[in-house]
């Protein structure tokens, strides 16, 4: 998924650097090897050096956390700040999560001292803005965890940003 | 009386009305508050549990359900945090109670385990639908189940989001709607301890 997102940049870098390497090889064989090596480094290093795991260009999750389910329950919630650093509005949908059977986006509303919760399809984030998944507001609802999960484990949440797949990492923590 | 002039009669009438209003304001508010609550019996870990047999100086009550992922654990955490900030002697004067309204899914063991997660002295209760309805109404709370076929859970409950402060008879001393911070609960507790 990361590779497919960066594919255009990889192709552009290869197209720009290959003719340069050919040109230099006519002057100096060692120089050609150096340039070809540099080109290869740029091509293959791209996916490794771009953005840390748990984020994608344009959307990052900060302080992403999922509470381990409380004994007696197989359901829990996840929170964090989704930061859209791109220049366009994005719509984020949550598709699935590793280590749990399913994930949904829900919204809690408080009216006249009564709490009610409902599923929402997506969350919209304006350009250069952020959306907070917080207790008592929009949040991830997660169902049926794998056995043996412990605090500190990472859960990879598969989402889409304007239709493009991404993975966001949330840390499992104990609810105190 | 018939010999009294009209201004004097009006003055006496005004004084009488004022007296009724003043005395009424004195007694009306506490009476309304104390109308809520009272003793009740539900199920704890499979056994009958009567409030009067376990009540402490101040008792905290929250009504929710175990599969509530967001609001219920948040409030229970706030209660837990509030208690941890008190002295051991103060903590021993307080009983935290969680009542689940999800009779269909929350068995007594699950509710007890759920409440116990927030503290060794937390009590988790459930009962039959009739018993739960009676207790919920007693505290002026409300709940209703809403089907949500587009979700994995298939349902959700709307419910009163309020922490009740009860005296030893189970009467409502005070309450806080949706306390966001443990400090709010601590403040109220210290008023009533």
């Amino acid at each position: 998924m990361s590779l497919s997102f960066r594919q255009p940049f990889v192709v552009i870098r290869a197209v720009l650097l290959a003719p340069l390497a050919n040109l230099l090889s006519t002057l100096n064989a060692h120089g050609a090897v150096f340039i070809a090596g540099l080109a290869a480094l740029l091509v293959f290093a791209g996916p490794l050096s771009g953005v840390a795991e748990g984020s994608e260009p344009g959307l990052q999750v900060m302080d992403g956390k999922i509470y381990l389910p409380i004994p007696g329950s197989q359901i829990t919630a996840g929170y964090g700040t989704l930061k859209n650093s791109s220049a366009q509005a994005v719509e984020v949908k949550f598709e699935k999560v590793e280590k749990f059977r399913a994930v949904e986006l829900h919204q809690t509303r408080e009216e006249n001292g009564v709490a009610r919760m409902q599923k929402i399809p997506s969350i919209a984030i304006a350009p250069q803005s952020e959306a907070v998944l917080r207790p008592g507001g929009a949040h991830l609802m997660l169902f049926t965890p794998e056995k043996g999960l412990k605090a500190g484990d990472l859960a990879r949440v598969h989402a889409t940003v304007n239709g493009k797949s991404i993975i966001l990492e949330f840390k499992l923590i104990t609810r105190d | 009386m018939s010999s009294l002039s009209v201004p004097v009669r009006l003055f006496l009438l005004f004084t009488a009305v004022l007296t009724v209003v003043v005395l009424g304001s004195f007694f009306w508010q506490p009476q309304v508050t104390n109308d809520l609550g009272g003793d009740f019996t539900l199920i704890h870990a499979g056994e009958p549990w009567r409030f009067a047999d376990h009540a402490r100086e101040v008792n905290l009550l929250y009504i929710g359900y175990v599969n509530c992922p967001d609001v219920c654990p948040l409030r229970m955490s706030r209660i837990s945090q509030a208690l941890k900030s008190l002295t051991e002697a103060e903590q021993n004067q307080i009983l935290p109670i969680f009542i689940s309204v999800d009779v269909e899914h929350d068995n007594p063991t699950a509710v007890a385990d759920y409440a116990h997660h927030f503290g060794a002295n937390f009590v988790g209760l459930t009962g039959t639908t009739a018993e739960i309805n009676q207790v919920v109404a007693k505290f002026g709370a409300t709940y209703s189940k809403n089907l949500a076929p587009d979700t994995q859970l298939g349902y959700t409950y709307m419910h009163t989001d309020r922490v009740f402060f009860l005296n030893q008879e189970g009467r409502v001393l005070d309450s806080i709607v949706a306390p966001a911070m443990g400090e709010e609960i601590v403040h109220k507790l210290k008023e009533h301890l």
Side-chain angles (χ1 to χ4, degrees), chain A residues 70-77 79 101-102 104 106 108 110 113-117 119 134-137 139 141 143 174-176, chain B residues 65-67 69-71 73-75 77 80-81 84 110 113-114 117-118 142 150-153 156-161 177-178:
Chain A
I70 297 165
S73 176
Q74 292 287 298
I75 295 172
T76 188
Y79 306 102
R101 194 185 72 204
E104 293 173 357
H106 283 243
T108 297
E110 191 87 21
V114 173
R116 59 192 79 213
M117 186 181 67
K119 184 180 176 182
R134 61 174 177 78
H139 59 274
M141 188 166 170
F143 303 84
T174 305
R175 193 184 282 276
D176 53 9
Chain B
Y65 63 111
V66 166
N67 281 334
D70 184 39
V71 166
L74 173 65
R75 304 304 174 218
S77 283
S80 176
Q81 288 165 2
K84 284 174 185 167
D113 289 348
Y114 178 88
H117 171 81
F118 295 96
T142 184
D150 61 330
T151 67
Q152 290 282 326
L153 192 58
T156 182
Y157 277 92
M158 54 161 270
H159 58 90
T160 295
D161 184 14
V177 175

Side-chain angles (χ1 to χ4, degrees), chain B residues 54-193:
Chain B
H54 300 86
R56 299 197 186 167
E57 186 74 21
V58 178
N59 307 274
L60 298 177
L61 171 64
Y62 189 79
I63 297 169
Y65 63 111
V66 166
N67 281 334
C68 165
D70 184 39
V71 166
C72 300
L74 173 65
R75 304 304 174 218
M76 295 299 285
S77 283
R78 295 297 176 259
I79 292 173
S80 176
Q81 288 165 2
L83 296 189
K84 284 174 185 167
S85 73
L86 301 177
T87 65
E88 194 176 335
E90 288 171 327
Q91 288 182 39
N92 289 336
Q93 293 178 275
I94 300 162
L95 177 66
I97 302 166
F98 174 80
I99 295 177
S100 169
V101 298
D102 189 359
V103 173
E104 190 181 342
H105 301 92
D106 295 349
N107 65 56
T109 304
V111 180
D113 289 348
Y114 178 88
H116 193 72
H117 171 81
F118 295 96
N121 59 335
F122 278 58
V123 176
L125 306 174
T126 187
T128 64
T129 301
E131 289 167 341
I132 293 294
N133 288 345
Q134 192 178 23
V135 173
V136 167
K138 193 184 281 266
F139 291 99
T142 184
Y143 79 97
S144 71
K145 181 180 179 180
N146 302 307
L147 294 179
D150 61 330
T151 67
Q152 290 282 326
L153 192 58
Y155 68 93
T156 182
Y157 277 92
M158 54 161 270
H159 58 90
T160 295
D161 184 14
R162 183 183 291 264
V163 175
F164 294 95
F165 295 69
L166 315 180
N167 67 12
Q168 286 176 307
E169 286 75 46
R171 296 288 174 190
V172 177
L173 295 167
D174 215 330
S175 70
I176 306 177
V177 175
M181 305 296 289
E183 287 80 1
E184 295 174 63
I185 298 168
V186 171
H187 181 73
K188 287 279 184 199
L189 278 172
K190 292 200 169 178
E191 280 181 23
H192 296 293
L193 280 176

Side-chain angles (χ1 to χ4, degrees), chain A residues 12-35:
Chain A
I12 289 167
R13 277 180 292 199
V15 168
L16 288 176
L17 289 174
L20 183 60
N22 287 338
L23 177 64
L24 289 177
S25 68
T26 61
L27 302 173
N28 184 316
H30 289 98
V33 170
F34 173 75
I35 293 298

